[in-house]
């Protein structure tokens, strides 16, 4: 039996929280004086609840039936709404209570803002600059780069630690992360303007870690992000926020060099990409030779050692590879897909690893390049003008004798 208006008025007056009664048409039929804390209007009776709150009648009913709560911001306050039916009847009025959670929400925002983020900064070509300039120039250039990095850290009120002549760590609060991202890491452009005295510009690689469960995990995010930035050729910033990765910059041509530590960097970056992919496909160039097929087999084993399965995309082989191709199939350790099947299976989250070439027109199946943005390149040929655009990982080292050596 529905309650009378007098009974509903008594219920609302006795309620310890701001409260309204909403009828089946979505109209407010009763309210208490405490509702002035929520809405600035003197009289809200007979008003449409949706017009005042932005919450539809169907949403109120769903909240009542499934014991859900809704949150709204009104009158510079934040309220959590709890909804109950007047009775078990589906046609009964709805009682809506408003719990002020402004203090809780403010504390939650403050907690988020004060989370510690970590930035790893690396001067990409510091060793090359030292090898190609006079001691006086080295001091001058190093001082200018250091000044830019310290100014950037100061702008986000960060705590900067100089790890070495070419590496820094910055600890800063999350409240400044959006500001850094909005600027698209303008520090990269500022450092690039510095005259190095050599035939290449100065550049930075930056890895940002955000939202780790601890400072240690956030630091690990930053380490992995820096590995990705270095693996993509440097002169860029990578932001790692858990499983979300964003890339900024990358305008300079990377300096080709042999670096014993780079394989470790590439391995870390590759593992990061594998974790974020639903499957892995490996592809060499058309009419593959022993290096293209051998490096593809090697990459399958690398993926397997990291705990991931991988497929080689290949339609046919020439006489030179017939025996090794047959052995690979007989072992059962290598999955080889025809191009048609690979095109059916690939998704935007597939990691496509290209070996022994970096030119789109040379690969076994160029159409696969259009199906995913997650592309890694491992090659030993000198970089050509028509190289694959913006791979997530680029390991192109012309000093190497083969792609297999790099793998």
């Amino acid at each position: 039996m529905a309650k009378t208006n007098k009974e509903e008025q008594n219920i609302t007056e006795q309620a310890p929280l701001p409260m309204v009664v909403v009828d089946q048409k979505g109209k407010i039929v009763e309210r208490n004086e405490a509702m002035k804390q929520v809405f600035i209007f003197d009289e809200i009776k007979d008003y449409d609840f949706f017009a005042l709150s932005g919450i539809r009648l169907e949403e109120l009913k769903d909240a009542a039936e499934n014991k859900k709560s809704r949150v709204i911001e009104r009158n510079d306050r934040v309220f959590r709404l709890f909804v109950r039916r007047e009775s078990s009847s589906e046609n009964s009025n709805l009682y809506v209570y408003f719990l002020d959670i402004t203090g809780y929400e403010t504390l939650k925002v403050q907690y988020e803002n004060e989370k510690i983020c970590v930035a790893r900064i690396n001067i990409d070509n510091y060793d090359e600059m030292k090898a190609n300039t006079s001691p006086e120039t080295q001091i001058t250039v190093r001082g200018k780069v250091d000044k830019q990095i310290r100014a950037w850290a100061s702008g986000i009120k960060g705590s900067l630690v100089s790890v070495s002549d070419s590496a820094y760590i910055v600890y800063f609060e999350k409240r400044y992360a959006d500001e850094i991202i909005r600027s698209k890491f303008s520090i990269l452009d500022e450092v690039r303007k510095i005259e190095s005295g050599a035939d290449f510009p100065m550049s930075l690689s930056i890895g940002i870690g955000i939202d780790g469960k601890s400072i240690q995990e956030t630091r690990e995010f930053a380490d992995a992000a820096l590995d990705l930035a270095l693996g993509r050729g440097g002169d860029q910033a990578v932001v790692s926020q858990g499983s979300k990765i964003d890339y900024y910059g990358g305008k300079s041509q990377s300096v080709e060099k042999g670096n014993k530590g780079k394989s470790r960097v590439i391995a870390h970056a590759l593992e990061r990409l594998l974790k974020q992919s639903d499957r892995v496909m490996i592809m060499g160039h058309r009419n593959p030779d022993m290096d293209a097929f051998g490096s593809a087999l090697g990459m399958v084993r690398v993926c397997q050692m990291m705990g991931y399965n991988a497929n080689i995309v290949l339609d046919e082989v020439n006489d030179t590879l017939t025996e090794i191709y047959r052995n690979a199939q007989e072992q059962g350790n290598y999955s080889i897909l025809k191009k048609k099947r690979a095109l059916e299976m690939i998704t935007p989250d597939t990691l496509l690893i290209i070996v022994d070439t970096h030119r789109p027109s040379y690969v076994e199946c160029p159409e696969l390049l259009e199906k995913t943005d997650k592309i890694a390149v491992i090659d030993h040929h000198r970089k050509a003008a028509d190289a694959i655009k913006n791979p997530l990982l680029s390991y192109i080292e012309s000093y190497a004798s083969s792609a297999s050596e790099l793998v």
Side-chain angles (χ1 to χ4, degrees), residues 230-242:
L230 292 170
R232 284 163 54 90
D235 183 37
Q236 58 196 282
V238 177
V239 178
S240 172
Q241 193 165 2

Side-chain angles (χ1 to χ4, degrees), residues 250-278:
K251 297 181 180 179
S252 293
Q253 180 75 24
S254 60
V255 179
E256 291 188 4
K257 60 174 181 176
N259 186 337
K260 292 181 179 179
K262 190 169 183 180
S263 59
R264 178 191 59 80
V265 170
I266 293 297
H268 281 274
L270 177 63
E271 185 174 21
R272 189 75 177 176
L273 292 176
L274 287 168
K275 288 179 179 178
Q276 298 162 2
S277 305
D278 61 359

Side-chain angles (χ1 to χ4, degrees), residues 43-96:
E43 183 51 68
I44 61 172
K45 197 171 179 181
D46 298 326
Y47 267 67
D48 183 80
F49 186 82
F50 170 70
L52 288 173
S53 68
I55 300 177
R56 299 182 182 278
L57 179 61
E58 292 76 12
E59 294 173 306
L60 283 182
K61 291 178 179 179
D62 180 63
E65 291 168 4
N66 297 294
K67 292 183 169 45
K68 298 178 181 178
S69 63
R70 300 296 300 269
V71 175
I72 65 169
E73 293 184 31
R74 290 296 183 275
N75 202 16
D76 295 326
R77 311 291 292 174
V78 183
F79 297 90
R80 186 178 298 279
L81 278 60
F82 298 93
V83 188
R84 298 292 181 267
R85 284 195 177 278
E86 172 192 350
S87 68
S88 58
S89 171
E90 291 185 0
N91 296 320
S92 61
N93 290 341
L94 299 168
Y95 293 166
V96 185

